[in-house]
Amino acid sequence: MSETSSVGIVTAQTAHFSEPLKLKSGEVLPAYDLAYETYGTLNADKSNAVLICHALSGNHHVAGKYAETDKYPGWWDNLIGPGRPLDTNKFFVIGLNNLGGCHGSSGPSSINPATGKPWGADFPVVTVEDWVKSQARLANHLGIDQLAAVIGGSLGGMQALQWTMSYPDRVRHALVIASAPNLTAQNMAFNEVARQAIMTDPEFYDGHYYEHNTVPRRGLRIARMLGHITYLSDDAMGAKFGRKLRDGEIKYGFGVEFEMESYLRYQGDKFAGEFDANTYLRMTRALDYFDPALEHGGNLSAALAGVKAKFLVVSFTSDWRFSPARSHEIMKALLDNECSVSYAEVTAAHGHDAFLMPDPHYHDILRNYLQNIRTEGRE
Amino acid sequence: MNATQNLEKIAEYRQDFAIIANWLKFGSKALDLGCGDGELLHFLQGSMKVRGYGVEKDDANWLSCLQNGINVIQMDLEAGLSGFEAQSFDVVILSQTLQAMHNTENIVHEMLRVGREAIVTFPNFGYWRNRLQLMAGQMPVSRDIPYQWYDTPNVHLCTIKDFDQFCENHNIHVKERLVLTYGQRIQFMPNLRGSLAMYRLGRK
């Protein structure tokens, strides 16, 4: 295998959009910013652009580091770079922070120009369709008419799927990974518990906690702990922590005794310190609301009737939050429409988190699929 | 395998492929079950402009399909074809995989549910070389059945006569049947002299 490396040092950019964005809810966002990063070089006929859509807690910092001293690179760094599955020698890769986010794009924690104060609870509820619309405007901003591919895992996969429906002529390939055509009741139930944890936190102040110089840290923490349980499989948690005790003995109390508790608390604390609670509410709502079949009487095949993109659908055997059965539904609807689609069910122990892991077979799948995408002269 | 044998194998494969191609209409929509590395579909896409999907369980084969430019669905055929609508394909192909299926009756039934036509090929266990090995007191091992009894994936080997009876009993219409040995068509005593059986099936 050839040498692979990171994209190196990267810089975030911000694009301002002054054209109002009409949202699915009916509300209008008069103007907004989108934070984004790009890796690689856009080719002469602008045919090699790949958009990465992030999931619940992701952002535009997909690959590379801002400084050599950064502890961690972007959230999908193992995928992107020269010689990596998404090869930046070939592709021009775009990552963005979705609307409603908390990492530079307009969202509840950014300033509402109308009031000069943070939007807080007043920031509108955004949907996957709204995101895709704003992403298309970002593509316009970058001078890109048609994307070679849109790639996303989980909630990101929903955006990739939505792209093919909203803009069938503007995307040639969609890589829909560990995703679903909508959430099951059980899956939405986890989101509701997470939101309740946040909204019942006394520091939440109906979403206007910025004015009180506080954050609903306890709620966010519990929401994230719950999330982490569902992203891992029982086996993966068993293998990682089992019943291991942190100090080797039972203490008959309620402190951190088991390794698993230590992990969850660490993840919860870390997240609560860097993520915005109002953003979390909106991201989970976007997940809940995504249901392209709804307008077609529950018929996903009808929803996908006009798509032109070619598809790669990937699921992971131990992923119970976005199970292979849900990917089958997407695959079936694509088959019903005689779309070009390949489907891989990757044997993996890591549950939903597997889509971010550098499993060799999984990466071979992505590498081979992406290698086959033609960029010069298009398809 | 030496060069001559290799050529023989290619010639035979082509014959096998050529017959399947001959049974398809130009531009047909085909589903190839247990498609291996996608060689057959690749050939049919090139020669007959077939719009095809392969179904393959094995990771390495699945990747080969992708490299061959084949649309490939990773799933276990034993679970049936519930992801496919009835009569949604012109033809469903099961090439040299029947003998390794546990749920044999179900898969043939499913093929004819999903496809307007089915093509099934399998190594003929009644071939004289196989019979000779059995007469000598051992399970047959040959190029078509290249496994030892203890490591074979083949759980439902059958003869041409067996499969004819299977179709009769299951109300399956045999539209055409071709028997080959080393790529040559066998018309006289095919169950004894033929090593590869090819069936074109429909509903009665």
Side-chain angles (χ1 to χ4, degrees), chain A residues 71-113:
Chain A
K71 198 170 169 196
Y72 299 109
W75 57 270
W76 214 350
D77 189 74
N78 62 35
L79 181 77
I80 302 161
R84 291 193 178 167
L86 180 52
D87 193 335
T88 46
N89 289 328
K90 175 178 178 181
F91 292 109
F92 175 67
V93 181
I94 308 158
L96 89 158
N97 185 208
N98 279 326
L99 277 178
C102 54
H103 293 96
S105 291
S106 297
S109 53
S110 52
I111 301 296
N112 179 355

Side-chain angles (χ1 to χ4, degrees), chain B residues 13-64:
Chain B
Y13 264 43
R14 290 300 161 205
Q15 189 60 24
D16 169 352
F17 287 8
I19 288 165
I20 292 176
N22 196 37
W23 281 347
L24 302 182
K25 285 199 192 75
F26 201 77
S28 290
K29 189 179 168 197
L31 184 64
D32 184 4
L33 306 179
C35 64
D37 60 8
E39 200 183 2
L40 172 63
L41 266 182
H42 187 73
F43 172 75
L44 295 175
Q45 283 182 359
S47 59
M48 297 299 287
K49 296 284 170 260
V50 158
R51 296 166 296 137
Y53 300 88
V55 174
E56 179 56 44
K57 184 174 66 172
D58 179 72
D59 285 348
N61 278 337
W62 189 97
L63 260 186
S64 300

Side-chain angles (χ1 to χ4, degrees), chain A residues 44-91:
Chain A
D45 63 358
K46 300 179 177 181
S47 61
N48 68 337
V50 172
L51 177 70
I52 306 287
C53 300
H54 69 74
L56 192 62
S57 60
N59 55 43
H60 54 293
H61 188 36
V62 189
K65 290 180 172 181
Y66 293 135
E68 286 294 350
T69 49
D70 284 1
K71 198 170 169 196
Y72 299 109
W75 57 270
W76 214 350
D77 189 74
N78 62 35
L79 181 77
I80 302 161
R84 291 193 178 167
L86 180 52
D87 193 335
T88 46
N89 289 328
K90 175 178 178 181
F91 292 109

Side-chain angles (χ1 to χ4, degrees), chain A residues 332 338-339 342-343 345, chain B residues 51 53 62 66 72 74 85:
Chain A
K332 184 185 178 299
E338 301 192 9
C339 294
S342 283
Y343 168 67
E345 196 164 306
Chain B
R51 296 166 296 137
Y53 300 88
W62 189 97
L66 202 66
V72 56
Q74 189 164 33
E85 284 291 329

Side-chain angles (χ1 to χ4, degrees), chain A residues 25-236:
Chain A
S25 65
E27 285 198 59
V28 175
L29 206 53
Y32 53 94
D33 290 336
L34 290 177
Y36 68 98
E37 285 177 16
T38 67
Y39 324 110
T41 311
L42 189 60
N43 63 7
D45 63 358
K46 300 179 177 181
S47 61
N48 68 337
V50 172
L51 177 70
I52 306 287
C53 300
H54 69 74
L56 192 62
S57 60
N59 55 43
H60 54 293
H61 188 36
V62 189
K65 290 180 172 181
Y66 293 135
E68 286 294 350
T69 49
D70 284 1
K71 198 170 169 196
Y72 299 109
W75 57 270
W76 214 350
D77 189 74
N78 62 35
L79 181 77
I80 302 161
R84 291 193 178 167
L86 180 52
D87 193 335
T88 46
N89 289 328
K90 175 178 178 181
F91 292 109
F92 175 67
V93 181
I94 308 158
L96 89 158
N97 185 208
N98 279 326
L99 277 178
C102 54
H103 293 96
S105 291
S106 297
S109 53
S110 52
I111 301 296
N112 179 355
T115 62
K117 289 194 291 187
W119 281 90
D122 298 333
F123 194 86
V125 169
V126 284
T127 64
V128 168
E129 291 96 318
D130 299 330
W131 284 338
V132 167
K133 215 192 241 184
S134 68
Q135 290 162 5
R137 288 191 183 175
L138 179 63
N140 296 345
H141 171 79
L142 296 169
I144 296 156
D145 177 46
Q146 189 187 59
L147 294 162
V150 180
I151 306 178
S154 190
L155 177 56
M158 291 173 167
Q159 294 159 58
L161 191 60
Q162 186 61 47
W163 256 96
T164 68
M165 293 182 277
S166 295
Y167 301 102
D169 293 313
R170 295 193 66 178
V171 51
R172 299 203 298 281
H173 294 267
L175 284 73
V176 181
I177 302 165
S179 195
N182 62 19
L183 292 193
T184 59
Q186 185 198 46
N187 206 332
M188 287 194 290
F190 288 120
N191 287 344
E192 174 58 6
V193 174
R195 282 191 299 266
Q196 283 298 315
I198 291 168
M199 295 191 300
T200 57
D201 186 318
E203 310 287 331
F204 182 62
Y205 294 105
D206 289 329
H208 291 291
Y209 44 87
Y210 317 98
E211 296 164 24
H212 296 81
N213 287 318
T214 183
V215 287
R217 176 178 287 272
R218 274 167 290 182
L220 254 182
R221 207 166 156 260
I222 294 168
R224 188 58 170 178
M225 287 165 89
L226 174 69
H228 266 283
I229 298 168
T230 70
Y231 304 150
L232 286 170
S233 67
D234 192 13
D235 285 347

Side-chain angles (χ1 to χ4, degrees), chain A residues 319-333:
Chain A
D319 183 352
W320 56 277
R321 194 145 181 201
F322 291 81
S323 71
R326 304 311 317 278
S327 285
H328 286 184
E329 291 176 38
I330 297 173
M331 175 187 80
K332 184 185 178 299

